[in-house]
Amino acid sequence: MLGITADNKLKRLIVVGDRVLIKPKDPTDRTSSGLYLPPTVQEKEQVQAGHVIKVGPGYPIPAPTEDEPWKETEEKVKYMPLQAQEGDLAIYLQRNAIDVQYEGEQYVIVPQSSILMLERLEEL
């Protein structure tokens, strides 16, 4: 069995369904006018940003039914992939996020439907 290093510790995690694992950016502790905000106000902001670390397989698609039920078919689940990709900057709704702490790091898990916008480094 391989040891866990900083490079592979997240490879063991499997994100399920239409969920996305996000590493939240540190919220700014100041407003645009220069006022300092207490941590309780920062945590309750409705819209947050963070980098996508892992994505789930997507939305399950029902298998097509065939006319010949006696044929043995291999039941493989097919998924419609998500728009989010690893490395994207995601703007998401905090109210639907679930806070998770793994290996001393803070992450959030959000459904794809809670992501409002994605910023990708490559051109579309």
Side-chain angles (χ1 to χ4, degrees):
M1 177 170 241
L2 294 173
I4 295 179
T5 64
D7 295 335
N8 71 2
K9 72 177 184 178
L10 291 174
K11 290 183 181 180
R12 296 185 332 162
L13 293 179
I14 298 172
V15 181
V16 180
D18 70 333
R19 303 293 190 252
V20 179
L21 180 70
I22 296 176
K23 172 79 173 152
K25 290 176 73 174
D26 292 330
T28 57
D29 58 351
R30 258 200 246 191
T31 64
S32 58
S33 62
L35 295 174
Y36 285 95
L37 298 172
T40 54
V41 172
Q42 295 171 21
E43 292 172 3
K44 292 184 181 180
E45 289 291 322
Q46 286 191 358
V47 177
Q48 297 287 333
H51 291 280
V52 176
I53 303 297
K54 292 196 89 145
V55 296
Y59 301 101
I61 299 173
T65 57
E66 294 189 17
D67 297 342
E68 302 167 352
W70 61 87
K71 280 188 174 179
E72 294 207 18
T73 59
E74 193 175 311
E75 286 287 327
K76 284 193 174 182
V77 178
K78 294 184 180 182
Y79 293 95
M80 180 181 297
L82 303 178
Q83 286 181 296
Q85 295 178 3
E86 293 179 11
D88 290 348
L89 176 68
I91 310 297
Y92 61 93
L93 293 173
Q94 179 65 32
R95 70 170 179 253
N96 296 331
I98 298 170
D99 293 323
V100 175
Q101 188 164 359
Y102 181 73
E103 297 286 328
E105 296 283 334
Q106 191 68 29
Y107 299 99
V108 292
I109 297 175
V110 298
Q112 168 85 14
S113 60
S114 293
I115 297 176
L116 303 173
M117 183 171 63
L118 294 167
E119 179 184 357
R120 194 161 291 150
L121 294 177
E122 62 190 45
E123 295 288 326
L124 297 177

